Amino acid sequence: MLPLDASTYLLVLTGAGISAESGVPTFRDAGGLWEGHAVEDVASPAGFARDPLMVWQFYSERRANMTAVAPNAAHHALAEVERRLGDRFLLVTQNVDGLHTAAGSERVIEMHGNLMRSRCSVCDRAPFEDRTAYRRGVAPMCGVCQRAGRDALLRPDIVWFGEAIVAGALPRIETFVDAAGAGLRFLAVGTSGLVYPAAGLVDVVRARGGRSWLVNADAPANARSFDTVTLGAAGKVLPEMFA
Ligand code: APR
């Protein structure tokens, strides 16, 4: 159980595992998203420069799959805890599927971006909602650049390997952790603990004396860093987890 009281500040980190029961393939489980694609080919600036059509096909297929996907009990459980804790709750997700927001979570940091947004690969126009699953062979161009006489590809508004996470994410987390003081509690759900800076959050919390919980289908790389580890499916464990 994860006790919530008047002093609790709960920082939550989620990864692909929390969306697995919604039918979204994870990255590293057998049959994960990278099937048939080398990670560096579909999730790196170099891969996009090399073959933008193939990258847009990969993300367009993921966008198309999202039409049949809904939040599961784990997403709803976290939205309920946010309603109880208010601004003493902060959810940091590595996921780009938008399912936390769809479940009603509002205090969400999407540190790796969002699949249903695009942005220009050249100009500094703001990222914009784009649910289009482009058909094979189409890589969309930026209309703002075209009007300025430039050819520039649009790209998914997703943080690729080698790129900095969403601006402002770490300072917002730091501010929350500073405000928490002795009431700081950290819960990680459905993540393999392999990608930084997300995988290092548990160490930040421990250094502040905060207590940490992990809910995961199996023991990930950084399991030993957590005070309490519960192995199981997030959709089953989370609804029963908060006292
Ligand atoms: N409930 C809980 N945990 C689950 C479930 C489930 N139903 N199903 C799978 N898991 C666990 C797996 O055991 C695994 O440890 O979720 C974890 C998913 O790990 P990854 O596939 O590596 O996903 P994630 O940790 O989010 O990856 C981090 O790496 O590929 C990049 O940018 C991408 O955001 C991603 C980052």
Side-chain angles (χ1 to χ4, degrees):
M1 292 299 275
L2 199 165
L4 303 174
D5 58 35
S7 68
T8 300
Y9 276 70
L10 181 60
L11 178 65
V12 181
L13 170 68
T14 61
I18 200 170
S19 296
E21 291 156 270
S22 294
V24 181
T26 63
F27 293 95
R28 291 175 182 82
D29 289 346
L33 272 175
W34 305 119
E35 281 250 305
H37 292 289
V39 170
E40 57 277 357
D41 288 345
V42 291
S44 73
F48 183 67
R50 208 168 28 245
D51 191 347
L53 289 179
M54 187 266 286
V55 171
W56 266 114
Q57 188 59 42
F58 175 73
Y59 285 100
S60 291
E61 281 165 14
R62 293 175 68 189
R63 281 183 176 173
N65 293 341
M66 287 310 293
T67 53
V69 166
N72 64 58
H75 296 103
H76 289 299
L78 292 179
E80 177 54 33
V81 172
E82 178 179 336
R83 283 188 285 273
R84 287 174 60 182
L85 295 181
D87 61 7
R88 290 186 286 117
F89 177 93
L90 183 61
L91 171 53
V92 181
T93 186
Q94 300 171 93
N95 301 338
V96 297
D97 55 34
L99 290 179
H100 285 300
T101 308
S105 291
E106 294 176 0
R107 294 174 55 79
V108 183
I109 297 177
E110 294 178 319
M111 66 190 305
H112 290 165
N114 186 299
L115 177 61
M116 298 308 187
R117 279 198 309 263
S118 295
R119 61 181 163 89
C120 180
S121 58
V122 173
C123 77
D124 59 359
R125 72 188 281 191
F128 56 95
E129 180 161 346
D130 181 5
R131 295 177 170 272
T132 309
Y134 295 96
R135 55 183 169 70
R136 190 173 293 279
V138 170
M141 304 300 282
C142 172
V144 172
C145 286
Q146 270 170 342
R147 284 189 289 281
R150 285 188 307 263
D151 277 346
L153 284 163
L154 293 181
R155 56 168 281 180
D157 187 31
I158 285 180
V159 177
W160 284 332
F161 285 99
E163 295 183 321
I165 64 168
V166 165
L170 293 181
R172 191 171 162 198
I173 295 166
E174 284 286 335
T175 302
F176 183 83
V177 167
D178 288 344
L184 181 59
R185 292 186 174 139
F186 177 64
L187 168 65
V189 185
T191 180
S192 56
L194 293 173
V195 173
Y196 285 78
L201 284 183
V202 62
D203 301 320
V204 170
V205 170
R206 291 177 68 88
R208 308 285 184 107
R211 288 173 54 198
S212 55
W213 286 258
L214 171 68
V215 173
N216 213 60
D218 53 36
N222 61 348
R224 279 189 305 280
S225 304
F226 290 85
D227 297 312
T228 306
V229 176
T230 305
L231 297 184
K236 183 175 177 334
V237 172
L238 257 62
E240 300 154 10
M241 183 160 194
F242 302 102

